[in-house]
Amino acid sequence: MFFTYLRRELRRRRKAALVVASGLALGIALVIVVDSVSSGMGRAQDKVLQSLYGLGTDMTVTKAAQASSGGTAERPRFRFDAQDDGSEEEQSTDRVMVQGFETLASSTVGKVAGQSGVADAVGGLSLQVVKVSGEFSRGRFQQDASGGGAGGAGGTGQGGGPGGGQSPQGRVQGGGADFDVNSYSVYGTDVTEPALGPLTTSTITSGRTFKESETDAEVAVADSAYAKEKKLKTGSTVTVKDTEFEIVGIATADSGDAAANLYVPLKQAQTLGDAEDKVTTIYVKATDSQRIDGVKSAIQQNVSGTTVTTSADLADTVSGSLSTASSLATGVGKWLSVLVLAAAFLVAGLLTSSAVSRRVREFGTLKALGWRSGRVTRQVIGEAVVNGLVGGALGIALGLAGAYAVTAVSPTLQAQLGGGTGGGGGMGGPGRQAAAKTLDIALTAPVSLTTIALAVALAVAGGLVAGGFGGWRASRLRPADALRRVE
């Protein structure tokens, strides 16, 4: 009887039911769009942080570089041997410098890994290589046509030289030096821990990654952009400080710029940089995301002289259009959706209550026929819940369409990452420069099952709110009210 009466009443009052459902649908659709955009912002920001940290990394441990006592940074010096045989042989030399931070002892990695709440820790060494190559060319002496003149008065000899000596007149032409300066970054990665570190932010697109047995092998993985610039491919070789490395793989950064131009095993990097048993960055993964703050405090307290940077700290340095859009989505957007949803619930309740007032004769007659107030109330609430579910279905459809539209037409956002390699905070990635780095991020608006479940819950809640208004009004009606309406 309940469902039969419910079906008939909804069919008879289609327009009123559609108005209530449409109001709820708009509010629910807005909630879905705002939630999906906010989720997309979170994913975009995660991509930015992964380009610095590495997949699965929760924090990094570094040691801030100390200011030079002389007030100026150490400058690289290059020395070339003179050639006395007149040859123009090309000469080259490399200067390999530790980049970004003060070095930490490799034993620090074990100390960090031993802290409570740390699931894994791995060290890495960031290097900057400056390569100068070129050749000197010998100049040629060109004698003037008027070379030797007659001696003048005063007893000078022929040619104008004292004592009558010959002094040729002329100048040196040609000669000089032609050298090229090439700077690139090298990152020493622990090949026994492939799941942590900056290399995880890139995908191997040619060749292979390191094997765990290649802890001291002369092999390298090249970033795809650098490989294209230098015309490198799998099987090519590169020479760094007289050590020849074979390119075993080409890696393409998943977003933004790569962490380094070349990746080599950690031991090889330590040898190149004269930094035996040293690392510049320790990448840490926590056992639980809820314990990150506690792990940070423990490391700072128990491992002296270190600076710990979490993803939350790093997120504070993200600015640009991505940050602006994220603030709008999390702030203005959520408050706007709450207000619209509250207004939709209120309108639905008022419309339902108004509909009850127009059905006084109907409900009074039903009470006169024996319906109890509870049964009338349940009938009104049932109708309102069905209206809410219909509104929820419409809202989900509109929300999905809106999220798809955002993904399809949204512009590319920019994320600017503040520098800070020389300061106390430090960025997570290896060898990050002090200048800001800008990444282009494509905005998406993914709709999760949780969002769909939230929409259904809101639809039911909207129906209950509207039904509560109408049911309370209907329960107060008396059969005598219906008799007054009889003409």
Side-chain angles (χ1 to χ4, degrees):
M1 180 65 180
F2 174 81
F3 291 103
T4 301
Y5 189 82
L6 178 66
R7 184 176 65 254
R8 289 177 179 176
E9 286 301 312
L10 290 175
R11 184 181 302 173
R12 189 163 62 93
R13 305 178 187 278
R14 286 193 298 268
K15 292 183 179 180
L18 185 59
V19 170
V20 174
S22 299
L24 292 174
L26 290 176
I28 292 171
L30 182 60
V31 171
I32 292 176
V33 172
V34 171
D35 186 78
S36 60
V37 170
S38 179
S39 177
M41 295 297 176
R43 291 190 180 186
Q45 196 168 63
D46 288 343
K47 286 184 179 180
V48 174
L49 300 184
Q50 285 177 12
S51 69
L52 297 173
Y53 267 149
L55 188 64
T57 305
D58 294 316
M59 65 190 75
T60 56
V61 180
T62 57
K63 182 179 181 181
Q66 298 178 355
S68 175
S69 58
T72 58
E74 180 184 1
R75 297 181 179 179
R77 298 175 62 88
F78 301 92
R79 181 182 180 85
F80 296 94
D81 296 329
Q83 303 290 338
D84 58 0
D85 56 359
S87 63
E88 298 181 357
E89 181 180 354
E90 181 175 343
Q91 300 185 66
S92 67
T93 184
D94 292 345
R95 176 66 188 268
V96 182
M97 300 168 289
V98 175
Q99 179 180 253
F101 303 100
E102 287 288 314
T103 57
L104 295 164
S106 295
S107 58
T108 310
V109 179
K111 293 180 181 179
V112 172
Q115 301 301 310
S116 176
V118 175
D120 199 3
V122 61
L125 182 67
S126 181
L127 303 174
Q128 185 73 19
V129 181
V130 180
K131 183 181 183 67
V132 178
S133 59
E135 60 185 24
F136 295 101
S137 58
R138 182 184 295 272
R140 295 183 180 181
F141 180 78
Q142 182 70 35
Q143 187 173 2
D144 290 342
S146 59
T156 58
Q158 184 179 4
Q166 184 80 13
S167 177
Q169 301 295 316
R171 56 183 177 179
V172 177
Q173 292 183 339
D178 183 14
F179 281 82
D180 177 59
V181 179
N182 179 30
S183 177
Y184 58 95
S185 57
V186 176
Y187 180 73
T189 182
D190 189 341
V191 299
T192 63
E193 295 281 355
L196 278 178
L199 187 54
T200 59
T201 63
S202 298
T203 301
I204 301 297
T205 52
S206 178
R208 62 173 177 84
T209 188
F210 298 108
K211 298 178 181 178
E212 293 188 11
S213 59
E214 295 176 328
T215 55
D216 200 17
E218 295 175 353
V219 292
V221 172
D223 172 59
S224 58
Y226 183 75
K228 183 178 181 180
E229 177 187 351
K230 301 300 180 181
K231 298 180 180 179
L232 300 175
K233 59 182 180 180
T234 303
S236 300
T237 58
V238 292
T239 301
V240 183
K241 202 176 180 180
D242 299 326
T243 303
E244 191 174 83
F245 291 88
E246 179 187 358
I247 303 296
V248 297
I250 304 295
T252 302
D254 296 332
S255 65
D257 297 332
N261 299 128
L262 290 176
Y263 302 88
V264 299
L266 178 57
K267 286 187 178 180
Q268 286 290 336
Q270 291 170 337
T271 301
L272 292 174
D274 295 327
E276 185 177 358
D277 293 330
K278 299 290 185 179
V279 296
T280 51
T281 310
I282 302 174
Y283 298 86
V284 182
K285 182 178 182 180
T287 56
D288 188 348
S289 60
Q290 303 299 321
R291 301 186 62 183
I292 291 178
D293 291 337
V295 172
K296 175 181 178 179
S297 299
I299 294 175
Q300 289 177 327
Q301 180 179 354
N302 300 326
V303 185
S304 61
T306 59
T307 300
V308 184
T309 307
T310 67
S311 57
D313 298 330
L314 199 58
D316 293 337
T317 69
V318 178
S319 60
S321 57
L322 173 61
S323 177
T324 302
S326 179
S327 299
L328 288 174
T330 56
V332 178
K334 285 189 176 180
W335 278 111
L336 178 62
S337 63
V338 169
L339 291 176
V340 171
L341 192 63
F345 282 7
L346 180 61
V347 170
L350 293 176
L351 289 175
T352 304
S353 179
S354 177
V356 169
S357 66
R358 293 193 298 270
R359 299 166 67 183
V360 171
R361 185 171 60 181
E362 174 188 343
F363 291 134
T365 303
L366 290 175
K367 282 192 172 184
L369 293 175
W371 280 39
R372 295 181 179 274
S373 296
R375 186 175 180 181
V376 174
T377 301
R378 287 194 298 271
Q379 193 70 44
V380 174
I381 292 177
E383 294 176 12
V385 169
V386 172
N387 289 337
L389 292 176
V390 173
L394 293 175
I396 291 173
L398 290 175
L400 291 175
Y404 176 79
V406 170
T407 302
V409 304
S410 63
T412 300
L413 301 179
Q414 286 188 338
Q416 296 176 351
L417 306 172
T421 56
M427 301 292 280
R432 298 294 173 186
Q433 301 298 322
K437 176 182 178 182
T438 301
L439 299 178
D440 291 331
I441 303 295
L443 175 64
T444 60
V447 180
S448 63
L449 292 177
T450 303
T451 303
I452 299 297
L454 175 63
V456 174
L458 290 175
V460 174
L464 291 175
V465 170
F469 273 98
W472 173 79
R473 184 73 178 274
S475 65
R476 296 171 60 86
L477 295 176
R478 296 175 299 171
D481 296 328
L483 298 178
R484 296 193 188 100
R485 299 292 183 95
V486 176
E487 298 178 355

